[in-house]
């Protein structure tokens, strides 16, 4: 079965650079979530989208922005990168007609800021 | 605000035995959802099981079952007949209104299955 696809899987950037992470949800899933998991930490909710509109916002820095496109894929844009942004970034998707009770995560993008 | 507490940083279990991973939660919401995820060393986050706050029956999914005790605010995960491939980090999470839209995770339990 198709899963949530994230690209790239690994990304190395220098401080103050920008990065764009992409997420392709499971077909027919119209809700997308972004999470950040620092080393040895639990995942922290960043932001979510439903039907291309932002639905919930968590602890997302102002340097980050995200959007969901007409084909339901989502991109997380990160600017002025800092060393502390090094983390595993997860995208997840769910299907509201199942009550959003199952959020399926992608394999994550591991961002390293040097 | 919601809070998830997992008090077992690490657990060991013998292959083929059952193991219970503890999870307690705190919320003022009347409707909420409880989730368990497995994170192997490769990093991906794998959905295991879901329990809605109004579900009277404990959720089960294959070898996984969720021991939901609402009055005690606990949602322990029981893995029966442990397998070596079950070795991973396990996260308990919850959300308001039962949806997975904004999950709050616990700190996780590292489970090691011994041969």
């Amino acid at each position: 079965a198709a899963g949530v696809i994230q690209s790239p899987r690994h990304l190395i950037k220098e401080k103050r650079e920008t990065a764009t992470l992409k997420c392709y949800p499971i077909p027919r899933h119209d809700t997308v979530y972004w999470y950040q998991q620092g080393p040895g930490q639990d995942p922290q909710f960043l932001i979510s989208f439903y039907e291309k509109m932002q639905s919930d916002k968590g602890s997302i820095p102002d340097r980050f922005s995200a959007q969901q496109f007409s084909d339901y894929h989502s991109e997380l844009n990160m600017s002025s990168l800092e060393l502390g942004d090094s983390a595993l970034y997860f995208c997840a998707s769910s299907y509201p007609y199942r009550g959003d009770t199952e959020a399926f995560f992608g394999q994550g993008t591991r961002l390293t800021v040097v | 605000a919601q809070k998830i507490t997992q008090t077992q940083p690490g657990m060991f279990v013998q292959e083929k035995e059952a193991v219970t991973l503890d999870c307690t939660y705190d919320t003022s919401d009347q409707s909420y959802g409880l989730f368990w995820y497995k994170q192997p060393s490769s990093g991906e986050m794998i959905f295991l099981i879901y329990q809605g706050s109004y579900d009277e029956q404990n959720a089960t999914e294959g070898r996984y079952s969720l021991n939901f005790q609402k009055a005690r605010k606990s949602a322990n995960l029981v893995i029966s007949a442990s397998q070596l491939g079950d070795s991973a980090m396990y996260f308990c999470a919850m959300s308001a209104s039962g949806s997975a839209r904004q999950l709050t995770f616990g700190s996780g339990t590292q489970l090691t299955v011994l041969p």
Side-chain angles (χ1 to χ4, degrees):
Chain A
V4 177
I5 306 295
Q6 290 188 246
S7 69
R9 291 291 309 280
H10 301 273
L11 190 59
I12 299 175
K13 290 284 186 178
E14 294 189 354
K15 283 194 304 184
R16 293 180 288 278
E17 284 192 321
T18 61
T20 297
L21 310 185
K22 297 186 178 182
C23 168
Y24 298 86
I26 293 171
R28 296 194 298 160
H29 285 197
D30 53 11
T31 306
V32 168
Y33 323 84
W34 286 96
Y35 288 83
Q36 177 192 58
Q37 186 180 24
Q41 304 292 315
D42 55 285
Q44 296 291 315
F45 172 75
L46 293 178
I47 195 166
S48 63
F49 294 88
Y50 168 65
E51 280 292 342
K52 293 153 279 185
M53 300 286 289
Q54 180 184 308
S55 55
D56 292 301
K57 194 171 182 179
S59 50
I60 184 168
D62 292 340
R63 299 177 290 108
F64 295 5
S65 65
Q67 57 181 323
Q68 187 179 29
F69 294 86
S70 58
D71 63 351
Y72 295 105
H73 94 273
S74 178
E75 295 184 3
L76 177 66
N77 298 293
M78 309 159 70
S79 63
S80 303
L81 287 169
E82 302 173 356
L83 295 178
D85 296 329
S86 295
L88 188 56
Y89 289 83
F90 285 107
C91 171
S93 73
S94 66
Y95 189 49
Y97 293 103
R98 293 200 59 172
D100 285 324
T101 58
E102 296 180 26
F104 294 91
F105 282 71
Q107 292 191 298
T109 294
R110 190 170 296 280
L111 172 67
T112 302
V113 181
V114 297
Chain B
Q2 299 168 331
K3 184 177 171 63
I4 292 281
T5 302
Q6 293 179 255
T7 57
Q8 306 154 314
M11 288 277 287
F12 292 88
V13 65
Q14 210 67 41
E15 194 179 7
K16 300 179 186 175
E17 291 187 348
V19 63
T20 298
L21 305 184
D22 294 341
C23 172
T24 58
Y25 61 90
D26 191 23
T27 182
S28 56
D29 296 316
Q30 294 300 308
S31 175
Y32 50 88
L34 295 154
F35 303 75
W36 277 92
Y37 286 87
K38 171 185 177 182
Q39 187 175 42
S41 56
S42 50
E44 70 266 35
M45 194 72 77
I46 303 167
F47 168 80
L48 295 178
I49 199 167
Y50 165 82
Q51 178 86 40
S53 57
Y54 290 114
D55 295 339
E56 295 185 353
Q57 302 249 348
N58 285 344
T60 61
E61 291 285 349
R63 294 186 299 110
Y64 305 107
S65 61
L66 198 152
N67 184 0
F68 181 46
Q69 298 188 42
K70 195 170 182 176
R72 294 186 176 186
K73 293 191 175 180
S74 74
N76 298 339
L77 177 71
V78 180
I79 305 174
S80 63
S82 298
Q83 301 171 357
L84 295 178
D86 293 335
S87 294
M89 180 70 86
Y90 288 80
F91 287 99
C92 179
M94 76 176 300
S95 71
S97 304
S99 77
R101 287 191 180 180
Q102 186 170 338
L103 294 173
T104 299
F105 286 82
S107 54
T109 295
Q110 181 69 47
L111 176 67
T112 303
V113 180
L114 303 171

